[in-house]
Amino acid sequence: MLTEAETRDNPGIMASHLNAEFRSTPIVWETIVQAHERIRPRIHRTPVLTSATLNALAGAELFFKCENLQKTGSFKIRGATNAIFSLSNEEAERGVVTHSSGNHAAAVACAAGWRGLAAWIVMPKNAPAVKCHAVEAYGGKITFCEPTVTSRAEVAERIEQQTGAVMVHPYDDDRIIAGQATAAKELLEEVPELDAVLAPVSGGGLLSGTCLGAKGQSGTVKVFGCEPERADDAYRSLTSGVLQKQESSDTVADGLRASLAPRTFAILQKLVDGVLLVSEQEIVDAMKRVWERMKIVVEPSSAVAVAPLLRPGGVPALGLTSKRGQQKPRIGIILSGGNVELKN
Amino acid sequence: MLTEAETRDNPGIMASHLNAEFRSTPIVWETIVQAHERIRPRIHRTPVLTSATLNALAGAELFFKCENLQKTGSFKIRGATNAIFSLSNEEAERGVVTHSSGNHAAAVACAAGWRGLAAWIVMPKNAPAVKCHAVEAYGGKITFCEPTVTSRAEVAERIEQQTGAVMVHPYDDDRIIAGQATAAKELLEEVPELDAVLAPVSGGGLLSGTCLGAKGQSGTVKVFGCEPERADDAYRSLTSGVLQKQESSDTVADGLRASLAPRTFAILQKLVDGVLLVSEQEIVDAMKRVWERMKIVVEPSSAVAVAPLLRPGGVPALGLTSKRGQQKPRIGIILSGGNVELKN
């Protein structure tokens, strides 16, 4: 394992263990290192927590990368900050526009505020009040649209044309993917000998970034996406080899209702080791376990990446084994966010 | 500020800035350093978290020492581990006994399990089921008593006599106080330039330990206890100079219903800079803020030490200023625990 300073000083030395698939993706390791340098002063280096109780349930050593404790309450600030601070001054003057009903909206508003830019945020008119308040608190200008994928894109495009603002897509953007990759980069820097990393998958920005951030540092780590059965488009896309859209999306994991984009699909086809599906009940049970045993607030989308580990049989039943002889497998989990509305 | 290695190698060098009050307490700095060495391999070094939103509300830089993320869900495992691993083999063979309705019970059961000792735990018969289950899961043997201070002590004393078990008092014990001091020790090691540290106060084990752990490393840091108005015995004891008992105890902060002991009272009289009282509504509001903004689960007793900072006027209104010129005051908070029963 290389030290952080070594990889920073000489990103090229990482290349030796990178396989042909990694090198064929459009995002090279150096891009991720640069993204990390760019965002590092502005974001939290989130803690990696462990739990003896959850280890016992999973039959493994679990390492939770707590992006729920990240600024704005999710990993989304990583990609948004990288994208916004990558803009040229000419681009920046035009402001930014995006569409999102959730964490990416708050992240873009927050990062734009840090750089002093205007941020137009298109949100579905049924978005939760708490998420709208967060965007407004960060200084974002909300335009409401119909709660359909088509309406979102249309309204955002109209604002783009009217204002000249730069589109910051939630996941179909190399700058976003490189930013999200820094969570797994930090996790592997702290816990180098991971056998696998699990992350939730929706549009695929986090999961493709996790593949790049993890496999850029370890030649043996596996990466799995985790997805609700009720929003299983990534699973269907990757097993069929053809990009699938999500028709219905009534899962409790409200952050996982988007579908892969061509860019994230292409990276995942090369690098991801599989997609694990979980039921609604498993999501709710896993979320409760994390709150109770780890004393941290995670949103349902985060619990999706915990649920497969807590099934009867735990990690061994998933077929994941340790590469270090008789030791228990070491599994990293990206806890993606903690933005839930708390009842009084 | 000394490095951890320096203090470990030569505890005596801390003495130069320690004032006469510190040196007159029964627990010397070396005792705390030894306690830390003893428990360090068995407990979490909990993260210190920050929140830009809470900083803005408080008008200060806040550093939260997250003992809610500690093993067994509270700081109590520090003192319990130190006490139990301080026992001679002869003492250990007799097992341990304690009385507690909450976090100390689980901590003693857990630490006794680590050393392979029997642990008799006296709990009031109205203790929450979730706390009883935790004690049993750690292998503790529960004896129920009437929900009065007198009954608790009587039943524990009877078990002590019948079994020969060693009493591990929740706070009236130097080994417990030295263990609890390690939370503030770690906090000051990580954030040396603190102007003040706030901790909740009940029996005074955590608060007296916090005074010792903080003032052992900084000649200028102030330490304040925080207490519910409805359980204000520490405030009354320290202002009157005479140890007061708590008559009623109907505060939502269920961990703060005990009264100071002679041992903790004596340390606090010498070292604490004041006690801040908070209302029930302030406790509930502060707890909700921490859950919402920091994405961590804290119990009401922890929120007691946050509430004074979030009042109108924030930290400046408390009269706390920075010793570093025009900068904002830097305040540490010991978040003592996260054991709450979650509703479905």
Side-chain angles (χ1 to χ4, degrees):
Chain A
M1 178 58 198
L2 299 162
T3 67
E4 202 180 338
E6 284 170 334
T7 62
R8 193 166 55 230
D9 295 347
N10 185 2
I13 61 177
M14 298 300 297
S16 59
H17 72 262
L18 298 180
N19 62 19
E21 278 71 32
F22 189 102
R23 276 181 269 126
S24 71
T25 64
I27 299 173
V28 299
W29 180 250
E30 190 169 0
T31 306
I32 296 167
V33 173
Q34 289 169 347
H36 205 190
E37 289 304 299
R38 190 175 289 122
I39 70 178
R40 194 194 297 271
R42 300 181 173 94
I43 64 163
H44 290 311
R45 187 170 181 112
T46 51
V48 177
L49 298 183
T50 60
S51 162
T53 307
L54 297 188
N55 284 354
L57 286 169
E61 284 188 79
L62 307 181
F63 298 89
F64 295 90
K65 178 65 173 169
C66 290
E67 290 298 296
N68 56 325
L69 308 181
Q70 186 53 271
K71 286 184 189 248
T72 71
S74 91
F75 73 93
K76 291 281 192 182
I77 193 67
R78 294 179 181 268
T81 302
N82 188 47
I84 284 168
F85 283 85
S86 297
L87 298 176
S88 69
N89 287 337
E90 292 71 28
E91 288 173 314
E93 277 175 16
R94 291 149 51 194
V96 292
V97 58
T98 195
H99 53 87
S100 159
S101 60
N103 291 332
H104 178 68
V108 167
C110 178
W114 288 340
R115 196 167 169 184
L117 312 187
W120 286 271
I121 314 287
V122 177
M123 301 183 79
K125 63 187 184 185
N126 63 353
V130 65
K131 303 224 165 176
C132 299
H133 293 156
V135 170
E136 283 170 346
Y138 291 124
K141 302 171 190 179
I142 299 175
T143 304
F144 288 105
C145 66
E146 296 301 314
T148 66
V149 174
T150 316
S151 172
R152 276 195 207 190
E154 278 175 5
V155 174
E157 204 173 319
R158 201 176 65 226
I159 292 174
E160 193 180 357
Q161 288 168 354
Q162 287 172 349
T163 64
V166 178
M167 175 66 73
V168 180
H169 191 278
Y171 46 90
D172 192 18
D173 183 318
D174 285 348
R175 301 164 302 184
I176 295 290
I177 295 168
Q180 320 305 31
T182 60
K185 177 173 181 285
E186 290 179 6
L187 173 59
L188 273 278
E189 283 167 359
E190 197 157 331
V191 192
E193 291 194 320
L194 288 178
D195 296 299
V197 179
L198 273 59
V201 56
S202 179
L206 177 62
L207 184 57
S208 55
T210 300
C211 287
L212 294 163
K215 298 195 173 192
Q217 288 181 95
S218 162
T220 57
V221 67
K222 293 183 184 302
V223 176
F224 294 89
C226 301
E227 197 173 34
E229 289 170 353
R230 288 197 186 168
D232 65 346
D233 62 287
Y235 176 82
R236 289 185 286 112
S237 297
L238 287 159
T239 48
S240 68
V242 179
L243 188 54
Q244 310 277 320
K245 287 290 161 192
Q246 186 59 39
E247 305 297 337
S248 75
S249 58
D250 61 343
T251 171
V252 66
D254 59 308
L256 304 184
R257 292 174 184 166
S259 301
L260 297 180
R263 190 181 313 255
T264 52
F265 182 47
I267 296 173
L268 294 179
Q269 278 190 300
K270 292 178 199 289
L271 293 180
V272 83
D273 293 284
V275 174
L276 307 172
L277 297 178
V278 296
S279 72
E280 296 296 297
Q281 188 61 50
E282 287 176 324
I283 298 169
V284 172
D285 289 348
M287 184 167 82
K288 186 152 187 271
R289 291 267 192 182
V290 171
W291 286 48
E292 272 182 351
R293 308 307 308 210
M294 298 186 64
K295 314 299 178 189
I296 54 177
V297 175
V298 293
E299 58 188 75
S301 303
S302 297
V304 167
V306 182
L309 306 170
L310 303 184
R311 285 181 181 145
V315 168
L318 295 173
L320 290 171
T321 54
S322 171
K323 288 177 287 287
R324 292 154 297 103
Q326 296 305 306
Q327 294 178 58
K328 288 189 186 298
R330 292 161 75 97
I331 313 291
I333 301 100
I334 312 283
L335 292 178
S336 52
N339 291 322
V340 285
E341 194 148 11
L342 297 171
K343 298 195 181 69
N344 278 309
Chain B
M1 177 58 199
L2 299 163
T3 67
E4 201 179 336
E6 284 170 333
T7 62
R8 194 165 53 229
D9 296 345
N10 185 2
I13 61 178
M14 297 301 296
S16 59
H17 73 262
L18 298 180
N19 61 20
E21 278 72 31
F22 189 100
R23 276 180 271 128
S24 70
T25 64
I27 299 172
V28 300
W29 180 249
E30 191 170 359
T31 305
I32 297 167
V33 173
Q34 288 169 347
H36 205 190
E37 290 304 299
R38 190 174 290 122
I39 69 176
R40 194 194 297 271
R42 301 181 172 94
I43 64 162
H44 289 313
R45 188 172 179 110
T46 52
V48 177
L49 298 182
T50 60
S51 162
T53 307
L54 297 188
N55 283 355
L57 286 169
E61 283 188 80
L62 307 181
F63 298 88
F64 295 89
K65 178 65 173 170
C66 289
E67 290 297 296
N68 55 326
L69 308 181
Q70 185 53 267
K71 285 183 188 255
T72 71
S74 91
F75 72 94
K76 291 280 191 182
I77 194 66
R78 293 178 181 269
T81 303
N82 188 47
I84 284 168
F85 283 84
S86 298
L87 298 176
S88 68
N89 287 338
E90 292 71 28
E91 288 173 314
E93 278 176 15
R94 291 151 49 195
V96 292
V97 57
T98 193
H99 53 86
S100 159
S101 60
N103 291 333
H104 177 68
V108 167
C110 178
W114 289 339
R115 196 166 169 186
L117 313 187
W120 286 271
I121 313 288
V122 177
M123 302 183 78
K125 62 186 184 187
N126 63 353
V130 64
K131 303 224 165 178
C132 299
H133 292 156
V135 170
E136 284 170 346
Y138 291 123
K141 303 170 190 180
I142 300 176
T143 304
F144 288 106
C145 67
E146 296 302 312
T148 65
V149 174
T150 315
S151 172
R152 276 194 206 190
E154 279 175 4
V155 174
E157 203 172 321
R158 202 177 62 227
I159 292 174
E160 193 181 357
Q161 289 168 355
Q162 288 171 348
T163 65
V166 179
M167 174 66 73
V168 180
H169 191 278
Y171 45 90
D172 193 17
D173 183 317
D174 285 349
R175 301 163 302 183
I176 295 289
I177 295 169
Q180 321 305 31
T182 60
K185 177 173 181 286
E186 290 178 5
L187 174 59
L188 273 279
E189 282 167 359
E190 196 157 333
V191 192
E193 291 192 321
L194 288 177
D195 296 299
V197 179
L198 272 59
V201 57
S202 179
L206 177 63
L207 184 58
S208 55
T210 301
C211 287
L212 293 163
K215 298 194 173 192
Q217 288 180 95
S218 162
T220 57
V221 68
K222 292 183 186 301
V223 176
F224 294 89
C226 301
E227 197 173 35
E229 289 171 353
R230 289 197 187 170
D232 66 345
D233 62 286
Y235 176 83
R236 288 184 288 113
S237 296
L238 287 159
T239 49
S240 69
V242 178
L243 188 55
Q244 309 277 320
K245 288 290 161 191
Q246 187 58 39
E247 305 297 336
S248 74
S249 57
D250 61 343
T251 172
V252 67
D254 59 309
L256 305 184
R257 293 173 183 166
S259 301
L260 296 180
R263 191 181 313 255
T264 52
F265 182 47
I267 296 172
L268 294 179
Q269 278 190 299
K270 292 177 199 290
L271 293 180
V272 81
D273 293 284
V275 174
L276 308 171
L277 297 177
V278 297
S279 72
E280 296 296 299
Q281 188 62 49
E282 287 176 325
I283 297 169
V284 172
D285 290 349
M287 185 168 82
K288 187 151 187 272
R289 291 268 192 182
V290 171
W291 286 48
E292 271 182 352
R293 309 307 308 212
M294 296 186 65
K295 313 300 178 190
I296 54 176
V297 174
V298 293
E299 59 188 73
S301 303
S302 296
V304 167
V306 181
L309 306 170
L310 304 184
R311 285 180 181 147
V315 168
L318 294 175
L320 291 171
T321 54
S322 170
K323 288 177 285 288
R324 292 155 297 102
Q326 296 305 305
Q327 295 179 57
K328 288 189 187 297
R330 292 160 76 96
I331 312 292
I333 301 100
I334 311 283
L335 292 178
S336 52
N339 291 323
V340 285
E341 194 149 12
L342 297 170
K343 297 195 182 67
N344 279 307

